[in-house]
Each structure stands twice: as structure tokens, then as C-alpha cells.
Amino acid sequence: MPTIDIDSAARDSAPRHRLTPTLPAGRLHRPLLWMVAAMAALVVVSVGGMVVDDRMMLGESVWLKPLKFGFAFLLYGFTLAWLLSLPHRGSRATWWLGTVFAVTGFADVGFIAVQAARGTFSHFNNHSTDTVNSIGQQVFMSGVPGLFFANLIIALILSWQRIVDRPTARAIHAGLALAVAGMALAYQMGYTGKQRVRDANGNIVELIAGHTVVEDAARSADVARDGVGGMPITHWSTIGGDLRVPHFVGLHGIQVLLLAAFALVWLAPRFPWLRAERTRAAVMGVLALGYAGMLSIVTWQAMRAQSLIHPDSATLAAAGGLAATVGLLLTMIYLRHRSTDSDTGVDHPTQPLAAKARLHTRGTQPLG
């Protein structure tokens, strides 16, 4: 006579926690992977160049800029290649947009590397009339908008779709928006004013702009602002606001938020209140909001000609207010969900469902 396995039935009907991100990725975007491989090679070459080549430009090795750009495009290109491998609507369009990003990224960073090898400037060097620079500036004029708009349209296509679990989806949507903002903020560098500098060959070069913002009284086309008082490693300015800071913060927000999404999955078995997917999604929303607030603060700070490491009282107050707001919101989420034990957000007794089934069916004859 057949029997019903009540324990098995109870397990099947019990609510389950999704403690791993759903990442149904297909084949990675091949043109982006080619770009990533080229950037990895550039990083290796640039490190070698910094060791064997002692030429300096604006107080740093001529190979530091291609190293930083190569690493940034390597990281972002691989992230984008993975993202476009996820099943989503409009995949044909995003494939072509990813290809545009790969081609323009390769061309733009390639020009940066060529100019570094020549010991001269790639950015803002519109007054030099040599053939290589003239061609390269045309590449920049077309390539930079290509990078920006390709990324913008990809973000718009994916922003209406939930292609993975909720926490990871929020990380992706917010991260793409932050990357677009970070790229857009780079355009502010074009309004910082002219400056005269020397290249690695000792030639005086007039740049139409730069990345350092200083007070109007200290601004002069005859005085170099970039490369003065640079911070260790990053060489971000210590004498004024450096627009590379918000550019960097925005561009790499997607990697930070994705790491946060995976960290929440790792923490969930250790902290029961994080096991529900919607709880982790709420936490991700707060973290994304906090990251956007940080991007706003460092942008505001740079635009006020203030170095990242020399914040004034207004900047400190804004940062403190942001930290307090994020902390308060996370506390509210914890208090609301600390007894939650399912993806649906419904509180459940601590007694296992299978044990309850055995209790209520004790003494019952097998069914036939």
C-alpha cells in the first residue's frame, strides 16, 4: 500500500532562500575580451616601461597614464563582457554596442600608449601640429563620445530588465548609471582652463585644459596645475580639486556594487536576517544610494577647487550626514527583517516545517 513521505513533502513545500546570485551567463562578448587582452598586455608593457624608462612628465612616469587606463579598461571591459553574456532582451543591439565600446576603447587607449612612448601628451594637446598628434586628436574627438553613448544606450536597454536575482540586478542597474555619470563628469575637465607644461622631451606644450581645478585667482595659462603636489600612487592633485576623482569613483561603481552583492550572499548563512532575497535587495538599494551620494560629494568637492585629502567643514559635514543616513537606513532594514525567514518577507516560526508535519500526523495510518 503506497505511503506519503510527509518529511519529503514538507521540504518541497517549505520556502527556500536564494543564497547564490542567479548568473545564467552565456558566452562572453568576444570583441570585448579581445580588448581586455590588449589592455592586459598594455599593463605589462607599462609596468616594464616604468622600470626601464626614466622619462617623466608632470611629475610622473610617462608610462603611468597608459598603465592606469589599461587597467581601468581591462576591469570595466571584462565586467561589460560578462554583463552582456547574460540573457536579456535586445541582445543583438547590445552586442553591437559592446563592439563599438571595444573598438573605440582600443583606439583611444592605443593613442594614449603611442603618445606616452613619444614622451608627449595625449589629452588636451590640440595645439601640437605634428601628424601623429593631429590624427590622434581626431580619434579622441570621435572615440570618447562613442564610448560614452555606447555605455549610455546599454544602460538604458538593461535598466528596464531584471536579468538576474534582485540584489545583483540592483547592483547592475545602479552601477551602469554610475558609470555613465562618471564618464559624463570627465567632460568637466574641458572647462578648467589652459596651461603651459613641458613634455618628457623638454618641449613647452600648451594644453587647452587639464584635470585640476584651482581658484580663479590662482589660474594662469602660464602656470602648470596638473602634476603639482600629486598624491602617492594615484597622483591626484593636492593643491586643488581633481576631476579624475569623481571620474574614477563613478566608472568603477559597478564593480564595487557587484562585490557588495556577492559579499551579502557570503554573509547570508552567517546572519539569518540577510537570507531573504528581498532583504539583500533592500540593502543593495541603500548601498547604491550611499555610493551615489559619495560620488556627488567628491564631485562637489573637486568643483570647489578642494583636494580630496584636504576637505573643509562643509565637505566633512556632508560626508558625515551621508554616513549617518546610510547607517540609519541599514538599521531600519535590520530591525524590519531580523525575524524574517523567507523570500516573501513573511515571519515563520523557528520550528522546522518537517518537524511540525510529523507532530500533526503522529499516529496517523499510512494512506492508500
Side-chain angles (χ1 to χ4, degrees):
M1 190 161 43
T3 62
I4 294 177
D5 186 346
I6 296 178
D7 285 356
S8 176
R11 284 194 299 270
D12 291 341
S13 61
R16 298 178 180 177
H17 302 300
R18 183 178 293 164
L19 295 180
T20 55
T22 54
L23 307 178
R27 188 172 66 177
L28 296 177
H29 191 282
R30 186 160 295 178
L32 282 169
L33 289 183
W34 291 339
M35 185 199 76
V36 166
M39 296 302 139
L42 177 60
V43 167
V44 173
V45 170
S46 298
V47 170
M50 293 176 69
V51 173
V52 302
D53 189 346
D54 60 358
R55 290 179 300 164
M56 304 288 287
M57 197 159 56
L58 294 180
E60 62 186 36
S61 168
V62 295
W63 293 102
L64 183 60
K65 178 173 282 190
L67 172 64
K68 292 192 291 187
F69 270 84
F71 185 77
F73 272 78
L74 184 159
L75 190 61
Y76 193 82
F78 186 81
T79 303
L80 195 59
W82 166 78
L83 179 58
L84 296 184
S85 73
L86 301 174
H88 60 276
R89 294 187 297 275
S91 58
R92 184 181 297 273
T94 58
W95 188 92
W96 282 107
L97 291 166
T99 302
V100 169
F101 190 97
V103 172
T104 53
F106 179 84
D108 284 2
V109 180
F111 175 64
I112 292 171
V114 168
Q115 292 291 80
R118 299 176 69 228
T120 191
F121 299 92
S122 52
H123 288 74
F124 315 121
N125 188 9
N126 287 16
H127 289 296
S128 177
T129 56
D130 72 85
T131 303
V132 174
N133 183 72
S134 298
I135 295 174
Q137 295 305 324
Q138 293 299 317
V139 171
F140 261 7
M141 289 177 62
S142 58
V144 172
L147 289 170
F148 174 75
F149 284 109
N151 202 75
L152 173 62
I153 299 172
I154 288 172
L156 291 175
I157 291 174
L158 297 181
S159 63
W160 305 105
Q161 304 183 50
R162 205 188 96 183
I163 56 181
V164 285
D165 61 288
R166 282 177 288 181
T168 311
R170 288 195 176 179
I172 291 172
H173 294 161
L176 284 173
L178 289 164
V180 170
M183 292 179 185
L185 288 170
Y187 283 98
Q188 294 295 323
M189 298 181 191
Y191 302 97
T192 56
K194 295 180 180 180
Q195 57 180 329
R196 283 192 178 89
V197 296
R198 288 187 181 274
D199 64 16
N201 305 309
N203 301 318
I204 296 177
V205 179
E206 184 177 273
L207 303 180
I208 62 171
H211 48 72
T212 306
V213 180
V214 296
E215 300 289 348
D216 290 341
R219 184 180 301 174
S220 171
D222 295 322
V223 178
R225 304 180 303 276
D226 294 347
V228 180
M231 293 169 56
I233 303 177
T234 62
H235 281 257
W236 292 337
S237 178
T238 59
I239 66 166
D242 199 318
L243 290 170
R244 292 176 298 182
V245 177
H247 179 58
F248 175 88
V249 171
L251 188 62
H252 296 294
I254 188 169
Q255 286 93 23
V256 173
L257 294 179
L258 283 172
L259 286 175
F262 281 92
L264 289 175
V265 170
W266 181 78
L267 290 170
R270 297 160 179 80
F271 299 94
W273 69 280
L274 285 173
R275 290 176 185 169
E277 185 184 82
R278 82 168 190 178
T279 305
R280 299 196 306 278
V283 172
M284 279 306 309
V286 173
L287 295 179
L289 180 65
Y291 198 95
M294 181 177 67
L295 175 60
S296 300
I297 289 173
V298 296
T299 303
W300 177 54
Q301 184 182 18
M303 293 301 294
R304 290 186 297 127
Q306 187 179 115
S307 170
L308 178 69
I309 60 174
H310 297 135
D312 61 10
S313 57
T315 301
L316 291 174
L322 176 64
T325 301
V326 171
L328 177 62
L329 292 174
L330 291 176
T331 301
M332 292 172 62
I333 294 172
Y334 168 73
L335 293 175
R336 181 179 179 183
H337 296 282
R338 59 182 173 180
S339 59
T340 298
D341 197 37
S342 77
D343 282 350
T344 61
V346 178
D347 293 346
H348 292 277
T350 57
Q351 186 180 31
L353 184 59
K356 290 176 65 181
R358 286 195 298 270
L359 178 64
H360 288 293
T361 56
R362 186 175 297 167
T364 303
Q365 296 296 322
L367 302 178

